[in-house]
């Protein structure tokens, strides 16, 4: 068996139909969409078709879509735009489990005159809504809450949050990078003012993203330059990738049911069998309110990195719940925020499936992983001394 790729929340394979659609825009129709000639103009027409596709995915109007370079840029643009448009307000609300594309920006802003409140989560990864209500103030410029978490797949009550934030006249942004294409994300149902998307999470290439900005929302550009994107984002458009994103979205719409039925069933089978076969293992996060393709499983008393290396030797790709920072293996901020015990957070592995995964691949992982964990545990001082090592991660 070749590579078994179960790391689709990190990035996805560019769908061959997407790549095919993009190719002519490198070598044949390579004009600049801003040019006056029709050679460039034809690229502009295709960009508008892609814009309409992106808008269609989330129920928006095409003119409410701005193309960016990635999810990170979309998140940064949304937050900066809200702050610049509300200069008297210095407070931001987000969650403790955001992607670094929001979390690290807010930490930076915290050192530069702004104040951020991070909503805590419980052990299932769900938000403390009381804490959230209590912390909305007159000074709050923007609330930014991800639609679904990239590590655990936990889905947040975005509709309820959006309603509440809107009632208070505060800008609401959601990072829907992991949700789009897997869940129904509709800006008519959910009163979100800005929403971030990223191409490479849904079988489009890396280096393209989009930001939805509701009509009437005060906005100022993050990248200042040319008049592209109606003056809302300077920089010559990444034509081929934007066209690829449009095609990927068309495919995501066609595959919505497959992801929610077949892929969900494969994910469920994978986690059920692994939990049955491997003692001291458990799922991190809410079992119901979860992306259909994602499972984060904690294998107590083993190092996630060691599991990944041994799976890698067998061609299995997944992610761990640790971040290797300055030589020390810190459990991820998401698992720490959920209060996952230290011994479980360290051995947490995220499997994230896509439409390309098969039952055969899932069975391969079910067969190969239990002996890996068993072998590692036999070498683990924590496993051998497990009665005495039940210290809990500190929650920050
Ligand atoms: N937001 C979430 C929830 C993500 O999972 C990611 C990528 O992992 C990003 C933002 C960043 O997206 P990009 O890699 O396109 O910058």
């Amino acid at each position: 068996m070749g590579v078994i790729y179960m790391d689709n929340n990190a990035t996805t394979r560019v769908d061959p139909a997407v790549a095919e659609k993009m190719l002519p825009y490198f070598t044949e129709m390579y004009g600049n969409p801003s040019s006056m000639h029709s050679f460039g103009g034809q690229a502009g027409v295709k960009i508008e078709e892609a814009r309409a596709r992106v808008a269609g995915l989330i129920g928006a109007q095409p003119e409410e879509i701005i193309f960016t370079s990635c999810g990170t840029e979309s998140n940064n643009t949304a937050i900066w735009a809200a702050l610049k448009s509300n200069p008297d307000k210095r407070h931001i609300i987000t969650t403790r489990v955001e992607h670094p594309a929001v979390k690290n920006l807010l930490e930076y802003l915290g050192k530069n005159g702004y104040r951020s409140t991070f909503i805590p989560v419980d052990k299932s990864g769900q938000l403390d809504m009381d804490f959230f209500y209590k912390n909305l103030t007159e000074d709050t410029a923007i609330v930014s809450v991800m639609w679904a978490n990239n590590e655990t797949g936990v889905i947040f009550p975005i509709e309820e949050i959006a309603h509440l934030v809107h009632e208070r006249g505060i800008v609401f942004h959601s990072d829907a990078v992991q949700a789009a294409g897997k869940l129904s994300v509709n800006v008519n149902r959910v009163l979100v003012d800005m929403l971030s998307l990223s191409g490479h999470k849904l079988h489009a290439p890396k280096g393209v993203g989009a930001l939805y900005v509701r009509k009437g929302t005060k906005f100022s550009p993050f990248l200042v330059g040319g008049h592209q994107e109606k003056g809302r984002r300077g920089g010559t458009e990444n034509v081929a990738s934007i066209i690829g994103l449009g095609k990927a979205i068309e495919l995501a719409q066609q595959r919505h049911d497959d992801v929610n039925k077949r892929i969900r069933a494969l994910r469920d089978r994978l986690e059920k069998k692994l939990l049955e076969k491997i003692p001291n293992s458990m799922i991190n996060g809410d079992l119901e309110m979860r992306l259909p393709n994602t499972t984060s499983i904690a294998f107590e008393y083993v190092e996630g990195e060691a599991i990944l290396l041994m799976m890698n030797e067998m061609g299995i790709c997944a992610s761990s719940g640790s971040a290797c920072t300055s030589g020390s293996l810190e459990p991820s901020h998401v698992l720490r925020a959920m209060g996952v015990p230290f011994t479980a957070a360290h051995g947490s592995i995220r499997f994230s499936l896509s439409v390309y995964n098969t039952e055969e691949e899932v069975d391969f992982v079910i067969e190969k992983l239990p002996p890996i964990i068993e072998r590692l545990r036999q070498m683990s001082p924590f496993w051998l001394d497990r009665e005495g090592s039940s210290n809990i991660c500190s929650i920050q």
Side-chain angles (χ1 to χ4, degrees):
M1 201 171 288
V3 167
I4 296 179
Y5 189 76
M6 294 193 180
D7 201 12
N8 288 279
N9 287 8
T11 198
T12 59
R13 169 188 182 185
V14 174
D15 193 281
V18 169
E20 191 187 331
K21 189 97 184 169
M22 291 171 64
L23 277 178
Y25 295 91
F26 291 110
T27 52
E28 292 162 34
M29 289 175 265
Y30 50 83
N32 187 328
S34 300
S35 297
M36 288 303 288
H37 45 71
S38 57
F39 184 65
Q42 61 185 343
V45 170
K46 293 293 172 192
I47 286 183
E48 292 320 307
E49 283 176 20
R51 197 184 307 281
R53 277 271 172 214
V54 176
L57 180 76
I58 59 171
Q61 300 299 313
E63 57 276 17
E64 294 175 311
I65 302 297
I66 302 172
F67 287 116
T68 64
S69 66
C70 57
T72 301
E73 185 191 324
S74 298
N75 287 343
N76 273 251
T77 303
I79 292 167
W80 277 113
L83 296 177
K84 282 189 258 166
S85 310
N86 295 280
D88 317 335
K89 300 187 176 187
R90 314 293 289 178
H91 180 229
I92 306 151
I93 299 188
T94 189
T95 77
R96 284 200 185 171
V97 295
E98 293 300 306
H99 187 272
V102 168
K103 177 178 160 287
N104 290 354
L105 171 63
L106 297 198
E107 282 169 7
Y108 166 82
L109 288 169
K111 294 180 192 132
N112 289 277
Y114 292 92
R115 185 172 67 82
S116 296
T117 301
F118 294 86
I119 315 167
V121 294
D122 63 18
K123 65 181 193 314
S124 72
Q126 276 301 350
L127 296 175
D128 180 339
M129 291 299 283
D130 282 345
F131 181 95
F132 169 58
Y133 297 141
K134 286 185 192 136
N135 280 278
L136 281 171
T137 71
E138 292 300 312
D139 192 38
T140 308
I142 178 168
V143 173
S144 179
V145 174
M146 66 197 331
W147 201 293
N149 185 268
N150 46 302
E151 287 190 34
T152 57
V154 169
I155 301 168
F156 289 138
I158 293 296
E159 195 166 346
E160 185 187 341
I161 297 171
H163 181 72
L164 204 101
V165 174
H166 235 245
E167 260 184 352
R168 303 279 298 256
I170 299 168
V171 176
F172 180 51
H173 163 253
S174 183
D175 172 349
V177 162
Q178 293 293 345
K182 298 169 192 154
L183 305 175
S184 155
V185 172
N186 191 303
V187 297
N188 295 314
R189 204 184 67 236
V190 177
L191 288 172
V192 60
D193 298 301
M194 291 189 271
L195 183 126
S196 302
L197 305 174
S198 173
H200 72 108
K201 308 293 182 178
L202 38 77
H203 304 289
K206 297 159 189 65
V208 64
L211 177 66
Y212 159 78
V213 182
R214 187 179 291 278
K215 221 173 263 176
T217 305
K218 287 191 210 153
F219 185 82
S220 62
F222 181 61
L223 282 191
V224 179
H227 56 269
Q228 292 90 353
E229 299 295 299
K230 296 203 165 80
R232 295 172 299 176
R233 198 261 186 191
T236 301
E237 297 87 341
N238 182 353
V239 178
S241 293
I242 289 172
I243 289 164
L245 177 60
K247 180 67 188 175
I249 282 179
E250 184 188 331
L251 296 174
Q253 287 171 313
Q254 290 164 7
R255 292 168 175 170
H256 189 265
D257 286 353
D258 190 33
V259 170
N260 280 278
K261 291 196 186 109
R262 189 178 65 86
I263 298 308
R264 183 189 294 276
L266 283 184
R267 186 274 312 266
D268 289 350
R269 176 177 160 73
L270 176 70
E271 66 182 18
K272 179 170 174 284
K273 291 285 174 194
L274 290 178
L275 293 193
E276 273 171 21
K277 288 180 162 217
I278 303 174
N280 294 72
S281 57
M282 65 275 304
I283 308 294
N284 296 315
D286 197 304
L287 295 183
E288 297 303 319
M289 290 297 284
R290 201 161 43 130
L291 292 174
N293 76 320
T294 308
T295 180
S296 166
I297 312 181
F299 303 105
E300 282 187 302
Y301 308 110
V302 270
E303 281 291 349
E305 268 57 33
I307 305 172
L308 288 186
L309 286 176
M310 292 182 73
M311 287 202 300
N312 184 50
E313 282 174 17
M314 300 186 166
I316 305 167
C317 307
S319 281
S320 78
S322 305
C324 188
T325 45
S326 52
S328 72
L329 287 175
E330 272 285 299
S332 83
H333 69 284
V334 175
L335 300 182
R336 273 186 303 165
M338 290 162 63
V340 175
F342 183 82
T343 47
H346 264 295
S348 288
I349 299 293
R350 177 190 71 188
F351 296 94
S352 46
L353 278 58
S354 83
V355 288
Y356 294 111
N357 289 118
T358 63
E359 203 171 325
E360 205 189 355
E361 290 178 331
V362 165
D363 287 346
F364 185 81
V365 177
I366 292 169
E367 183 198 327
K368 298 296 177 193
L369 189 53
I372 290 179
I373 304 290
E374 173 64 23
R375 235 176 95 194
L376 289 171
R377 280 182 176 162
Q378 290 315 318
M379 296 187 277
S380 159
F382 297 113
W383 175 253
L384 301 172
D385 179 36
R386 56 191 177 279
E387 299 305 313
S389 59
S390 60
N391 47 335
I392 304 290
C393 278
S394 60
I395 302 176
Q396 297 178 351

